[in-house]
Amino acid sequence: MTEPSAATPPERHEAGCLFCSIVTGAIPSTRVYGDESVFAFRDINPGAPTHVLIIPRTHIAGISAPEAADGAVLSALIQAATTIAAQEGVAESGYRLVWNVGPDAGQSVFHLHLHLLGGRPLAWPPG
Ligand code: 5GP
Ligand code: ZN
């Protein structure tokens, strides 16, 4: 794991949070990317040939949490997504970035995460 720099605040993890357990390695995952603030791994139930979940290393409950308000975390996740898209070979063919927010969107894990889907044509609108 990348050592945090002096400017990086310490990671906070929440007991019982699935994605915090993935960040710490307590629950195994297939890592595809990591930097000082972001971790990314393959979705266990992929909806496309490439389906990566991109998360902050520190626990942030969701897109409307105060820790996400200044946009820095969201920016780091999106920058990681463009790197991962290139790494996965979908930058040219195209891909979709998705935030599921709340019950109507089917959000099931309450640790902020960005889905990156690609590797096949994706229908619009989504179901
Ligand atoms: P949400 O529905 O909250 O937007 O997305 C949660 C995602 O986490 C789902 O796509 C689901 O397949 C994935 N997921 C749930 N449990 C695990 C797990 O233990 N490991 C991995 N790699 N993905 C998981
Ligand atoms: Zn968490």
Side-chain angles (χ1 to χ4, degrees):
M1 191 169 90
T2 310
E3 284 300 316
S5 73
T8 306
E11 285 173 36
R12 286 179 300 94
H13 301 132
E14 190 164 290
C17 172
L18 174 64
F19 286 177
C20 282
S21 297
I22 284 178
V23 167
T24 63
I27 292 178
S29 68
T30 305
R31 176 192 183 281
V32 298
Y33 174 87
D35 64 28
E36 70 276 1
S37 64
V38 175
F39 185 75
F41 55 99
R42 300 203 186 280
D43 196 294
I44 203 167
N45 184 24
T50 292
H51 187 172
V52 175
L53 298 171
I54 306 165
I55 70 174
R57 288 187 183 276
T58 204
H59 182 83
I60 296 177
I63 203 161
S64 57
E67 300 96 319
D70 71 3
V73 171
L74 306 184
S75 171
L77 296 176
I78 292 165
Q79 283 178 35
T82 61
T83 300
I84 293 163
Q87 200 175 289
E88 293 287 312
V90 299
E92 302 301 324
S93 54
Y95 58 95
R96 186 168 289 159
L97 299 177
V98 176
W99 311 97
N100 287 324
V101 182
D104 276 359
Q107 184 179 2
S108 60
V109 177
F110 294 87
H111 178 130
L112 182 63
H113 55 280
L114 179 60
H115 294 255
L116 187 158
L117 297 127
R120 65 167 172 81
L122 299 164
W124 189 263

